[in-house]
Structures are given as C-alpha cells and as structure tokens.
Amino acid sequence: MDYRKLADLLFPHITKTPQDYEAVYPPRQLPEGARVTRLAPSPTGFIHLGNLYSAFVDERLAHQSGGIFFLRIEDTDDKRFVEGAVETIVGSLDYFGIEFDEGASVEGESGEYGPYHQSRRAELYQACVKQLVQQGHAYPCFLTEEELSEIRAKQEAEKQNPGIYGRWAVSRSLSYEEIEEKLKQGVPYVVRLKSSGKTDVPAEEMDTITVSDAIRGEITMPANNMDIVILKATGIPTYHFAHVVDDHYMRTTHVVRGEEWLSSLPVHIELFGLMGWQPPVYCHTAHLMKIGEEGTKRKLSKRKDPELSLDYYRRDGYYPPAVREYLMTLLNSNFEEWRIANPEESLDAFAFSTEKMSNSGALFDLDKLRDVCKDVLVRVPASELAAFLKKWAGEFRPELLPLFEEQEEQLEKILDLGRSGNKPRKDLVYAEQIFEFIRYFFDDYFVIEGELPENVSAEDASQILQRYLATYDHSDDQSTWFEKIRTIASDLGYAAKPKDYRKNPDQYKGHVGDVSTVIRIAVTGRTQSPDVWEIQQILGEERTRERIKSYLER
C-alpha cells in the first residue's frame, strides 16, 4: 500500500502539514517552570461542582507558577451542543472568581493559540490525521452501523472485548483500489487509528505503558490495542484525537481531568507517541463523593444531588471566596493546618500542590462547606458583604434589592452585628440564609415567630413590655439599658441574675433572661438574635416603640 497516495486520496484539500502548524503555534515564551493549563468543557449547558473543582486546580497550577490558564470549548459533538452553554460556563466560573488568561469568552476569543472552539479547527486536525495515514498509522473504515452491531453481537456471544481490533478490523485489509472505489460510490467512512497493541493474547502477554501521574504517581496499565475512531464521517475529530492535537499546539503542560478518563490514557499516550509529541503531565483527580442515605460513600450525582450544579450555589448566594476556601480543604490535605497558622492570609498565598491531593475520592460535605462559609464571612467587611448581597438580590431576589439600596448604610450596620470582639458571632452563611437571618429589620418581612418562655405568662409579658416602654430611653447606653431590665425583672418576681434563679428556683418565677426574651420577641419576633440593644439602635426609637406597642395590641 502506498500510504502517501492513500492520504492524498482521502485529504486532497489538505496542503499544510503538522510541521507547518508548529510555526503557527510556536512554544510559549514563559518563565522556566511555568505551567500551561486548560479547562475544556463540552457546551452542554450544565456546569457542575466537578468542573469548578478541576478549574481551581488548573488555575492554581498556572497562576502560582507564572503560567497561562485558558478556556477551550470542546464542541465536536453536535448532538450535545446547547445554545447559550458557553455563556453559562463563562458566567458560572466568573462568579466563583476563576479567571482565564486567554481562550473562549462571551465576547469572543482572545489569545494567539486559537481558535479555542474545536469546531473551528477542522483543517488542523485533518492535517494531523493525513500524516498518520501517510505513515500507515491510520486507515479509512467503511463499516456501517448495521455491521458494527453485528460485530458487537458476535463479540458478546464469544465473550470478547467489544471494539474494533484484530480480526474485527476488516477495513484494515482493504486495498487502495477497493478504497478508491468506495469513495467514488460515496460510501461514508471514518478514519481509525491503526493500533500497534497486541490482540488475541493472554492478559499477561499484553503490552503495557507506565505513566507518571502528578496526583497518583506511576501508573502501569495495558497499552491500547483498539482501532479507535479518530476522525468522524463529518471530518470532525473525536474527543480522543482533538484533545491530543490541541494540547500539543496550545502548548498545554498539565492536563487536569477526572479519574473516569484513566481508561482512555493508553489511547492518548499512543496518539502523542505516533505524532512524535511529548505528552503533557496528566493529573487525574478523584471523584467528588458524598455520604448517601445508606451511610456509604457514593459519587455526587446530577440526578440525585442538586448541590452538584453550580447554579445551586449561585441561586442561594454562596460567597465565592468561601466556596474556593472549602474546595481547597478538599484539594490539599495540608490546607486546613495552613489556614489555622495563617488566618488572615489570602488563599492565593497557600502553596497548592498536586502531591497533596487525594486519589481515593474527596468527600464533599455541605455542612462542612457552610461551616467554612461562617469562618470566611466573619472576616469579610460589612461593606463587601452588603455589595455582595445587592448583587445577588439583583439577579435572584429582585424584590429585595430596593430594601437593600434604600437602607444601604443601615444594611452594613445590620451585617456587622455581633461580629466584633474576641469571640465574634458566626451567624452568616450564604445570601439566602443571611436575608432570613436579618429580615426582621425590614418591616414588610417582620413576623412574630417566637413563643414566650414557659415560665412567663401572657399577663406578665404584657406587664414587662408596658414597664419597658415606660422606662425606655433610646439614648441609654447598653449598661444603663440592661439595668432597667434587671429592675423590671425584680419588680415582677424574676431573679435579676440567672445564677440566683439556679440557686433558688423556688423563690422566683424565672430570671432576667426570660424577661429580656419577651422584649426580644416583641422587637425581633424571635427568641434568638444578636444583642437587642444594638438591634434597637439600628431600628431607631420610633420603630422600636411601634413594635412593642404592636405586640401589646395583639
């Protein structure tokens, strides 16, 4: 077989060679040790926590080494394309602070190694496939869907591995003339890799490859022996071939992807080798796991777990730096120890390492995420939190935005409640929860939810509030204010100090805490809240009196 002649027959319109493209996409001029990483999602319209998890690894590897992080859209599968998916991908990642240096974007593309949509790189892929045909490493395959189904059925009956290889690769033996005739007849075909791996031999005799994975260390596995499709009948490559070509010409140094791609590694290593290219460093991340209802670990599921979707976190308003902080606890085993030693440091100051990543499954815990959110938000200035709340409300709760904008200065005071001192309160978790926590400040959302303490009768509650109104002076400092509550408590038969009640419970109806709870319910509608005096200072005297009067009139 004259493979050059065959290549020209299959690709008469392709005049450039892979060597020509080396000049189009030269090695990047970067500092020594700089890493080039990419996120390469399919435009399916669904972007999930796993994408963000990988993107965070990509971003850290590139940016802490002075390298480049780019976005490539792997849109070679028309059936999976969803309109607006690119905007969803870019918008979601931007929300969580993932910044790309080049690649696809909502406005278009930027960078010198594009196009960054695979669907626009057909000639480059075909030039590379043409070279493989010229070298006898690839061939046209004319098997129909019906014939492929028959082969699968026979393989299943014979308990053989499914796929096209060895004796099943019938198009391998076609002569040039037979191929030429089929082309003249317009018979559709794909181009398959002519794998050199052994077939029909015992497992112990199969060739193996050894790859050094940045997360998992050395991995030894069987070499590829399948004649996989590298170019579809449409002239568009499969994922396997497109990513090899793109990662070479875009000069990717590190490929971060999920462990589900480990089984494809032999194919990709073989393709890099046949093209004469150095493969990137692969980093196969562990699956994100959770504890299921049955108490065992399982993968996060698109169908079962709404928290897998990034929309879940955007809709509820999780603070992006807090999500990033939590992801780092999953990514590097030494991060939490570092954070304890460096509570005020930026996350970017942490030296991220693939060597500290787990290869056995990272356990995602929504409760742990919320605990991390509390720790992060307590350090965020109220002005930043207020700006975040307004941005979130504008997108997901537009009816709240006027409330926040009309009371901007007051909102910052509300968000700062109880957050000073050596033991600041950690009440704030995510935007939806924050609004629920502070909504009693807004009259339209104020409701009485709390029940009176068991040892306070309705009659006593009325007397407590009447006396409180009679002595209320909005200019009182906190100490003076509380002494008045102690006096009310004593006058009505309640202990002025909780410890007095604990020592002699039979001598009192209750204690000053029960009395202040009555006031708290009237002012906030709740039995639990930050300091009531501070709340009243924000509400103002008029609204404070109105709420107490309203409670008395119930």
Side-chain angles (χ1 to χ4, degrees):
M1 172 76 77
D2 185 338
Y3 292 120
R4 283 195 167 274
K5 187 177 176 183
L6 175 60
D8 288 337
L9 177 66
L10 297 176
F11 301 100
H13 59 293
I14 297 298
T15 57
K16 284 186 177 180
T17 68
Q19 289 68 38
D20 293 328
Y21 285 103
E22 294 292 330
V24 178
Y25 304 111
R28 295 174 182 267
Q29 299 302 306
L30 294 171
E32 186 177 352
R35 294 161 176 175
V36 179
T37 62
R38 47 75 164 175
L39 188 68
S42 298
T44 60
F46 181 76
I47 184 162
H48 55 78
L49 195 64
N51 298 129
L52 181 61
Y53 183 78
S54 292
F56 198 10
V57 178
D58 284 314
E59 187 268 340
R60 288 289 78 211
L61 286 176
H63 289 162
Q64 73 178 12
S65 66
I68 297 291
F69 176 37
F70 66 89
L71 176 64
R72 182 171 75 222
I73 303 298
E74 300 198 334
D75 56 351
T76 58
D77 189 346
D78 292 340
K79 295 176 184 177
R80 300 184 68 201
F81 179 79
V82 174
E83 196 67 41
V86 175
E87 289 80 0
T88 298
I89 292 168
V90 173
S92 296
L93 294 172
D94 179 67
Y95 176 86
F96 288 101
I98 301 296
E99 297 181 358
F100 297 99
D101 302 297
E102 62 185 50
S105 69
V106 174
E107 294 79 22
E109 295 187 345
S110 63
E112 299 178 359
Y113 290 79
Y116 294 91
H117 289 71
Q118 289 184 330
S119 59
R120 302 174 190 170
R121 298 168 67 85
E123 286 195 8
L124 169 59
Y125 303 131
Q126 290 174 19
C128 294
V129 174
K130 184 175 183 178
Q131 175 175 289
L132 289 179
V133 174
Q134 287 174 339
Q135 296 171 343
H137 297 313
Y139 64 94
C141 175
F142 297 91
L143 288 170
T144 64
E145 283 300 321
E146 183 179 352
E147 289 170 327
L148 289 169
S149 296
E150 290 175 0
I151 289 173
R152 282 194 292 270
K154 288 178 182 177
Q155 289 172 334
E156 188 175 339
E158 296 179 20
K159 297 184 178 179
Q160 299 290 317
N161 290 330
I164 301 303
Y165 58 93
R167 63 190 172 99
W168 310 104
V170 294
S171 290
R172 267 197 187 204
S173 59
L174 292 175
S175 66
Y176 178 87
E177 291 72 24
E178 287 173 314
I179 293 171
E180 186 177 36
E181 182 59 30
K182 286 182 180 292
L183 293 179
K184 286 179 181 178
Q185 294 173 6
V187 180
Y189 69 93
V190 298
V191 177
R192 289 185 181 274
L193 171 70
K194 188 183 291 184
S195 176
S196 58
K198 294 177 184 177
T199 60
D200 299 323
V201 296
E204 61 270 15
E205 294 180 20
M206 293 186 70
D207 297 327
T208 61
I209 63 165
T210 298
V211 179
S212 183
D213 186 281
I215 296 173
R216 298 165 185 271
E218 283 201 348
I219 302 173
T220 299
M221 54 201 310
N224 176 56
N225 62 3
M226 295 284 174
D227 288 7
I228 63 153
V229 176
I230 57 175
L231 198 69
K232 294 180 275 191
T234 57
I236 296 297
T238 58
Y239 163 79
H240 297 295
F241 192 66
H243 111 269
V244 166
V245 173
D246 289 339
D247 283 336
H248 172 70
Y249 286 112
M250 292 179 176
R251 307 299 174 176
T252 308
T253 66
H254 288 67
V255 170
V256 180
R257 60 186 186 181
E259 64 180 291
E260 65 272 17
W261 290 106
L262 271 170
S263 60
S264 301
L265 190 56
V267 170
H268 302 155
I269 294 300
E270 182 175 13
L271 287 170
F272 272 106
L274 291 174
M275 291 301 302
W277 298 333
Q278 178 70 31
V281 175
Y282 283 97
C283 315
H284 289 91
T285 61
H287 288 307
L288 284 176
M289 312 289 283
K290 72 175 291 185
I291 301 297
E293 293 177 2
E294 62 283 358
T296 57
K297 277 187 182 182
R298 64 168 176 79
K299 282 175 59 179
L300 278 173
S301 160
K302 179 179 176 180
R303 182 173 58 85
K304 296 179 181 178
D305 305 309
E307 67 268 31
L308 182 61
S309 170
L310 290 189
D311 279 345
Y312 176 91
Y313 305 95
R314 295 185 65 185
R315 186 177 61 252
D316 280 357
Y318 281 81
Y319 190 58
V323 176
R324 288 166 62 92
E325 182 98 0
Y326 174 66
L327 286 179
M328 189 58 83
T329 69
L330 298 181
L331 286 167
N332 266 194
S333 57
N334 61 328
F335 174 70
E336 290 184 81
E337 183 181 343
W338 177 87
R339 173 53 77 200
I340 291 171
N342 302 275
E344 304 300 326
E345 284 280 4
S346 163
L347 182 64
D348 291 345
F350 174 69
F352 171 78
S353 169
T354 54
E355 295 174 358
K356 294 292 185 178
M357 292 181 68
S358 168
N359 59 19
S360 61
L363 185 60
F364 178 80
D365 183 343
L366 196 57
D367 290 333
K368 177 70 177 294
L369 166 61
R370 289 170 177 169
D371 285 341
V372 170
C373 288
K374 292 176 183 179
D375 290 336
V376 171
L377 292 186
V378 80
R379 300 193 299 267
V380 177
S383 57
E384 289 184 26
L385 271 184
F388 173 67
L389 271 184
K390 286 187 288 184
K391 185 177 179 181
W392 167 79
E395 187 172 358
F396 297 101
R397 293 289 298 274
E399 74 277 12
L400 300 180
L401 189 57
L403 291 179
F404 295 158
E405 291 181 334
E406 289 167 9
Q407 302 182 52
E408 186 168 0
E409 184 176 343
Q410 188 182 53
L411 179 60
E412 291 186 23
K413 292 179 181 178
I414 292 169
L415 294 172
D416 246 355
L417 267 175
R419 298 204 309 154
S420 58
N422 295 328
K423 292 185 177 180
R425 293 178 63 103
K426 296 181 179 181
D427 297 312
L428 311 181
V429 188
Y430 53 90
E432 188 71 59
Q433 177 272 338
I434 291 172
F435 176 69
E436 283 300 307
F437 185 73
I438 66 173
R439 64 181 168 81
Y440 58 82
F441 279 100
F442 307 101
D443 294 337
D444 289 345
Y445 292 88
F446 173 72
V447 292
I448 300 296
E449 300 171 311
E451 299 287 338
L452 292 174
E454 290 183 5
N455 49 4
V456 178
S457 66
E459 183 182 347
D460 272 7
S462 178
Q463 288 192 51
I464 289 168
L465 294 177
Q466 288 176 24
R467 288 169 178 255
Y468 184 70
L469 271 179
T471 61
Y472 184 75
D473 185 339
H474 195 68
S475 63
D476 283 344
D477 60 24
Q478 193 167 19
S479 177
T480 303
W481 166 81
F482 193 64
E483 280 304 316
K484 288 182 177 180
I485 296 177
R486 287 186 192 275
T487 300
I488 294 171
S490 297
D491 290 348
L492 294 177
Y494 294 83
K497 297 179 180 179
K499 66 179 182 180
D500 293 339
Y501 175 71
R502 287 194 295 271
K503 288 179 180 179
N504 301 288
D506 295 336
Q507 295 182 17
Y508 305 99
K509 296 178 181 178
H511 57 78
V512 68
D514 299 317
V515 174
S516 61
T517 295
V518 174
I519 298 167
R520 189 186 305 275
I521 291 172
V523 175
T524 71
R526 302 173 180 177
T527 58
Q528 300 290 327
S529 75
D531 185 82
V532 177
W533 179 83
E534 291 187 61
I535 290 171
Q536 291 175 161
Q537 295 304 302
I538 296 172
L539 284 172
E541 181 172 4
E542 184 179 346
R543 291 173 70 202
T544 299
R545 288 183 176 277
E546 283 177 0
R547 289 192 176 185
I548 295 171
K549 288 176 183 177
S550 178
Y551 190 93
L552 286 168
E553 292 168 0
R554 292 173 71 214

